[in-house]
Amino acid sequence: MDLVLELFDEHLLDRLYANLIPLSAFTDPPIPSTSPPATLDTAVSAWTTVLRKLPHPSIPSSIPSSISSAHGLSAWPRDYIPRQLLSLTALTVIGIMLLYFIFATASYYFIFNHDMMRHPRFLKNQVRLEIESSMRAFPAITFLTVPWFMAEVHGYSKMYDDISDYGWTYLVLSVPLYLLFTDYCIYWIHRGLHVPLIYKNIHKPHHKWLIPTPFASHAFHPIDGYFQSIPYHLFIFIFPLQRYLYLVLFVLVNFWSIFIHDSDMVSGTGLEHIINGPAHHTLHHLYFTVNYGQYFTWADKVGGSFREPQPELDPLLEVKALENQKRKGGKAE
């Protein structure tokens, strides 16, 4: 997120803060000798009066006090913590909503099988309910996540810029390392969320969607969503990771979280023995105590919670069976 903040500061936020909280509002322009003292009071706008009540760092003595020379500068510089908190909060909320609506909408219209919406366990107005649940979760998740991003911005992570610092071999190997580390951590976090007392109070809302759509990917209790996101943030404080690569992986894992909620039960490809895909996660939503993993099946196999997707477990079969019953009932009448 430090990379994102830097890019937005340079191309947007510097100008935005300069306009909203200008340095000129905190400097006293010289008063011409011919002007009465009241002139200054009338020249100060109501907005400037409000701005002067805001906290701000001390203005360096090297900055001239005239309004003209302070034009284009903000009283809140890039390294001012309240500005960083405000910027990171706004960017996180906007970013998570863009990822959610772009990827979930694409998955819903181009991948999700809409026949599943006729399943008897598919709730009335479920898509709207999933979106509403996600919208309620995002603010709290953002509040809990921003401290991780602040730590990144202040240089506490092990992210690096120059590939030569660790070499190309480590760059390539850091991808499977990231996936294996986050997958194994999420497996145990997810399994822990199924401890009865925790499940009842935190994780159960996400299992309301027995036949999920991609919009259910973020429709959970905020604490649930936050805890399952911790490994993504924790990794870069333990292992070095190239800054741009981390950003790409962070976007891709969010896409994967959406993708596995499309209720697809494709099986028989051989990959279901290795990859924890939509079929595995569909079984998790239906049977609760199987397939806790995020990307791979190995942790479930080691932990004894793996259930292999089989054609006869496809919930779409129930939809087809109900339709057949209706057709037979109509003919009988």
Side-chain angles (χ1 to χ4, degrees), residues 148 152 157-158 178 181-182 185 189 229-239 246:
W148 290 97
E152 290 180 33
S157 76
K158 293 182 178 292
Y178 177 85
F181 175 86
T182 55
C185 289
I189 292 171
S229 74
I230 287 177
Y232 303 135
H233 306 293
L234 182 62
F235 182 88
I236 59 172
F237 291 89
I238 300 176
F239 303 100
Y246 175 62

Side-chain angles (χ1 to χ4, degrees), residues 46-64:
W47 177 239
T48 300
T49 303
V50 173
L51 287 178
R52 286 185 170 182
K53 297 179 180 179
L54 293 176
H56 62 87
S58 58
I59 299 174
S61 58
S62 60
I63 297 180

Side-chain angles (χ1 to χ4, degrees), residues 88-318:
L88 287 171
T89 300
L91 290 174
T92 302
V93 169
I94 293 171
I96 195 172
M97 285 189 175
L98 286 175
L99 286 173
Y100 175 70
F101 281 108
I102 290 173
F103 288 142
T105 300
S107 182
Y108 177 76
Y109 283 107
F110 297 108
I111 301 177
F112 175 68
N113 187 344
H114 287 70
D115 291 338
M116 295 300 299
M117 300 174 74
R118 298 197 298 273
H119 193 281
R121 295 187 178 184
F122 194 86
L123 304 178
K124 181 181 180 181
N125 299 320
Q126 181 172 312
V127 172
R128 177 175 61 81
L129 294 173
E130 290 171 341
I131 294 174
E132 290 176 352
S133 177
S134 300
M135 292 300 101
R136 289 193 297 269
F138 287 156
I141 293 174
T142 298
F143 175 79
L144 294 169
T145 302
V146 163
W148 290 97
F149 293 150
M150 281 292 289
E152 290 180 33
V153 170
H154 286 266
Y156 293 105
S157 76
K158 293 182 178 292
M159 287 191 295
Y160 63 94
D161 292 302
D162 195 340
I163 295 176
S164 63
D165 288 349
Y166 293 90
W168 284 96
T169 300
Y170 181 80
L171 179 76
V172 174
L173 292 178
S174 64
V175 174
L177 177 62
Y178 177 85
L179 295 177
L180 290 171
F181 175 86
T182 55
D183 183 62
Y184 192 61
C185 289
I186 291 172
Y187 171 82
W188 285 110
I189 292 171
H190 192 178
R191 189 160 184 166
L193 288 167
H194 279 261
V195 171
L197 182 61
I198 300 174
Y199 176 84
K200 179 181 179 181
N201 293 286
I202 295 178
H203 194 52
K204 187 176 180 179
H206 187 62
H207 276 275
K208 177 180 180 180
W209 329 111
L210 295 174
I211 305 296
T213 79
F215 291 105
S217 58
H218 292 72
F220 36 45
H221 189 289
I223 299 296
D224 181 355
Y226 170 70
F227 270 93
Q228 293 197 63
S229 74
I230 287 177
Y232 303 135
H233 306 293
L234 182 62
F235 182 88
I236 59 172
F237 291 89
I238 300 176
F239 303 100
L241 189 61
Q242 206 280 333
R243 185 167 274 103
Y244 288 95
L245 178 60
Y246 175 62
L247 183 60
V248 171
L249 289 172
F250 194 80
V251 172
L252 290 178
V253 296
N254 273 276
F255 167 73
W256 184 259
S257 296
I258 293 170
F259 174 67
I260 61 176
H261 284 87
D262 70 1
S263 297
D264 193 350
M265 276 293 294
V266 174
S267 60
T269 65
L271 291 176
E272 63 266 21
H273 296 286
I274 303 171
I275 303 299
N276 187 84
H280 302 77
H281 203 68
T282 297
L283 293 180
H284 175 74
H285 273 260
L286 287 171
Y287 300 105
F288 298 175
T289 58
V290 299
N291 301 342
Y292 297 107
Q294 188 75 354
Y295 323 116
F296 308 112
T297 60
W298 68 280
D300 280 295
K301 289 179 178 178
V302 173
S305 54
F306 177 67
R307 184 161 187 175
E308 182 180 348
Q310 299 287 347
E312 59 270 20
L313 298 176
D314 191 342
L316 188 60
L317 295 176
E318 294 184 57

